[in-house]
């Protein structure tokens, strides 16, 4: 029917961007092209074309490329609302009717469909026949050419779409949902505090879905935490990168800071003091790498450091805004989202986390800022932070294969 597979890619929220819409569409095309390089790298003899036209994005690929893989990679791109596999016809009723008949006969053979309905739309308003009449004419041709079919306007087995453009008509019968959101790179850059747990990878994914580019910082307490625990976080980050693209992860050893806190400060304040140092280090790295905000996986009340009092004290350590996309979610909701995006199984692998090192028996849940500042005054905060950053390791995170 067609020499190449054709995908119609809908932009969803991008379509609402008014005068900025071309910019968002261009970013979306760039992201789709980047994902499709996994299937057809530049320079191979089986290129995949991707371009935008009249508010839609089109992907055309040779038929010997894996169509399911192409759809999977396209629908993983933030900003894509849905994808349809379509066939082309000349923009006249005879050609559209003939292609529609062939299309439906193939569906009858493959899926044993019995009923259908035609839904037509004409983007070319100069076309002499209006959309409802196009639907009736094409429907009549299908009834003649496919004797086993009947029309069902309420619950058809197949809703056959005819999308008539200025120089071509597209015919398709279904949609594969994408993730929606906005293309990565259209909404600034955030520094995410990434651990090996369930929450922070989900929070990172959610902010990337809103168009944020990602830079990450991971804290460990070697040798109390193992090298395998760090590798686990890199693997988690790689899963997230399969949605948002490659990013850098700054790996910081927090142990000297933790030891200084334990030696000089009240035990019950250990957790909140460590958290404030993590935020300060993350902010320093964020400023250095042109990030506009910090991203954390905290949700209100889950642990002692995430009570409203504790979050107020934590935020007082930094001046950059702190984005907490999980703040109103419960643990079950977060776990369900982790399963959906593919991070859950990796997150629950039993490796150490720096937050559990020197964990106090009775951490304060209602810290007072003045007392925390008094405790911090016993430490050379600036020197500790500088020393930690000077010994950082930077890991390039690439999408998992």
């Amino acid at each position: 029917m067609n020499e190449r597979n054709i995908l119609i890619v809908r932009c969803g929220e991008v379509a609402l961007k008014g005068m900025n819409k071309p910019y968002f569409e261009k970013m979306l095309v760039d992201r789709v092209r980047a994902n499709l390089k996994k299937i057809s790298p530049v320079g191979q003899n089986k290129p995949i074309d991707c371009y935008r036209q009249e508010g839609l994005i089109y992907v055309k690929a040779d038929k010997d490329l894996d169509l399911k893989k192409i759809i999977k990679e396209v629908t993983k791109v933030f900003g894509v609302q849905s994808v349809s596999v379509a066939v082309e016809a000349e923009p006249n009723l005879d050609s559209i009717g003939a292609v529609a008949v062939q299309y439906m006969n193939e569906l009858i053979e493959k899926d044993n469909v019995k009923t259908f309905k035609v839904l037509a739309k004409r983007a070319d308003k100069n076309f002499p026949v209006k959309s409802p009449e196009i639907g009736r004419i094409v429907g009549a041709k299908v009834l003649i050419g496919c004797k086993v079919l009947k029309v069902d306007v309420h619950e058809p087995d197949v809703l056959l779409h005819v999308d008539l453009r200025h120089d071509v008509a597209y015919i398709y019968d279904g949609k594969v949902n994408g993730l929606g959101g906005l293309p990565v790179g259209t909404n600034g850059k955030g520094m995410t505090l990434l651990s090996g747990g369930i929450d922070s990878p989900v929070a990172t994914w959610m902010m990337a879905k809103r168009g944020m580019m990602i830079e990450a910082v991971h804290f460990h307490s070697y040798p109390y935490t193992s090298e395998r625990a760090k590798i686990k976080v890199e693997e988690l980050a790689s899963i997230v990168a399969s949605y948002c693209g490659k990013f850098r992860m700054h790996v910081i050893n927090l142990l000297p800071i933790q030891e200084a806190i334990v030696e000089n400060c009240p035990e019950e304040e250990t957790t909140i003091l460590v958290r404030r140092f993590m935020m300060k280090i993350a902010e320093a790295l964020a400023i250095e790498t042109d990030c506009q905000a910090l991203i954390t996986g905290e949700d209100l009340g889950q642990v002692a450091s995430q009570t409203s009092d504790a979050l107020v004290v934590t935020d007082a350590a930094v001046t950059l805004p702190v984005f907490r996309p999980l703040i109103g979610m419960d643990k079950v909701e977060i776990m369900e989202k982790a399963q959906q995006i593919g991070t859950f199984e990796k997150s629950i692998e039993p490796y150490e986390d720096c937050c559990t090192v020197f964990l106090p028996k009775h951490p304060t849940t209602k810290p007072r800022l003045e007392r925390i500042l008094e405790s911090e005054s016993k430490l050379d905060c600036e020197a500790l932070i500088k020393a930690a950053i000077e010994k950082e390791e930077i890991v390039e995170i690439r999408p998992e294969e």
Side-chain angles (χ1 to χ4, degrees):
M1 189 179 295
N2 289 91
E3 293 182 359
R4 309 184 80 192
N5 284 315
I6 301 166
L7 270 61
I8 298 175
V9 182
R10 299 171 191 84
C11 306
E13 194 174 340
V14 170
L16 305 176
K17 292 301 176 182
M19 297 294 289
N20 293 320
K21 182 180 173 183
Y23 164 72
F24 281 83
E25 288 179 345
K26 181 183 182 302
M27 291 292 289
L28 187 55
V29 169
D30 290 344
R31 291 297 174 184
V32 171
R33 284 175 178 161
N35 266 30
L36 291 176
K37 284 181 181 178
K38 303 173 189 175
I39 298 171
S40 179
V42 174
Q44 284 197 357
N45 295 324
K46 298 180 175 61
I48 301 177
D49 297 326
C50 180
Y51 60 93
R52 58 191 174 103
Q53 185 175 323
E54 296 183 307
L56 293 174
I57 292 172
Y58 298 92
V59 174
K60 295 185 178 180
D62 289 1
K63 288 203 169 184
D64 53 351
L65 294 174
D66 191 324
L67 182 58
K68 288 184 178 179
K69 284 186 179 180
I70 293 172
I71 294 172
K72 180 181 178 181
E73 291 302 328
V74 173
T75 53
K76 283 176 73 173
V77 175
F78 293 130
V80 171
Q81 192 67 31
S82 65
V83 173
S84 294
V85 180
V87 294
E88 291 180 335
E90 295 292 325
N92 62 74
L93 291 175
D94 287 338
S95 176
I96 293 170
V99 173
V101 168
Q102 184 178 348
Y103 188 94
M104 289 306 301
N105 274 322
E106 290 180 2
L107 283 182
I108 291 167
E109 183 176 347
K110 183 177 68 172
D111 299 328
N112 195 30
V113 299
K114 301 295 184 184
T115 62
F116 78 105
K117 174 185 175 180
V118 177
L119 184 62
K121 180 178 68 175
R122 54 169 194 158
D124 181 6
K125 300 306 179 185
N126 293 320
F127 193 78
V129 183
K130 293 184 178 180
S131 298
E133 186 63 20
I134 294 172
R136 285 192 288 270
I137 293 170
V138 173
K141 290 179 180 291
V142 171
L143 282 173
I144 293 170
C146 307
K147 302 297 185 183
V148 299
L149 289 181
K150 294 182 180 179
V151 173
D152 184 341
V153 297
H154 300 295
E155 295 183 357
D157 294 337
V158 173
L159 179 59
L160 186 66
H161 293 264
V162 176
D163 187 354
L164 202 150
R165 300 275 155 171
H166 288 84
D167 56 354
V168 67
Y170 294 101
I171 295 168
Y172 59 91
D173 72 295
K175 298 178 181 180
V176 179
N177 289 331
L179 296 170
L182 296 170
V184 173
T186 58
N187 234 350
K189 187 178 179 184
M191 175 67 70
T192 186
L193 283 73
L194 191 62
S195 74
I198 295 171
D199 300 342
S200 60
V202 175
T204 305
W205 183 93
M206 291 178 71
M207 293 312 303
K209 183 181 176 182
R210 297 311 305 158
M212 272 205 136
M213 293 182 68
I214 297 299
E215 190 100 3
V217 56
H218 170 63
F219 297 97
H220 66 92
S221 302
Y222 185 82
Y224 289 91
T225 56
S226 65
E227 179 67 18
R228 186 64 189 87
K230 183 170 79 74
I231 293 171
K232 170 191 170 180
V233 176
E234 292 176 12
E235 291 170 348
L236 265 175
S238 183
I239 296 171
V240 176
S242 68
Y243 295 94
C244 66
K246 64 181 180 181
F247 59 88
R248 295 194 309 169
M249 186 168 73
H250 305 256
V251 181
I252 302 288
N253 190 343
L254 205 61
L255 184 59
I257 292 174
Q258 291 172 301
E259 290 175 334
I261 290 171
V262 169
E263 185 177 342
N264 294 282
C265 303
E267 181 191 6
E268 67 273 11
E269 295 177 357
T270 301
T271 300
I272 195 71
L273 286 166
V274 168
R275 191 66 182 170
R276 279 172 58 89
F277 268 97
M278 293 167 74
M279 298 293 276
K280 289 177 180 180
I281 291 171
E283 181 178 57
L285 293 170
I287 293 170
E288 181 183 298
T289 55
D290 297 321
C291 294
Q292 296 135 323
L294 306 181
I295 303 167
T296 79
E298 293 157 318
D299 62 311
L300 190 62
Q302 182 177 185
V303 294
S305 63
Q306 297 176 21
T307 64
S308 58
D309 298 274
L311 293 178
V312 168
V313 172
T314 299
D315 282 1
V318 295
T319 57
L320 285 180
V322 182
F323 293 160
R324 296 183 172 96
L326 311 184
I327 195 69
M329 299 173 68
D330 63 35
K331 196 66 177 183
V332 173
E333 291 173 308
I334 299 169
M335 289 167 63
E336 288 173 350
K337 178 60 72 174
Q339 290 170 332
Q340 175 192 332
I341 68 177
T343 57
F344 181 77
E345 293 300 328
K346 180 60 62 176
S347 291
I348 61 174
E349 289 182 1
Y351 291 101
E352 315 85 359
D353 186 273
C354 70
C355 294
T356 61
V357 178
F358 307 120
L359 192 67
K361 292 182 179 179
H362 303 289
T364 180
T365 59
K366 294 183 179 294
R368 291 173 56 185
L369 182 57
E370 59 270 23
R371 289 187 179 178
I372 297 300
L373 292 174
E374 182 182 344
S375 296
E376 280 185 355
S377 69
K378 302 172 185 177
L379 306 169
D380 189 344
C381 297
E382 189 173 326
L384 286 168
I385 291 169
K386 182 181 179 182
I389 293 176
E390 284 178 348
K391 295 178 180 179
E392 73 171 335
E393 174 191 359
I394 296 178
V395 180
E396 296 289 337
I397 302 297
R398 297 184 178 276
E400 66 171 354
E401 295 296 331

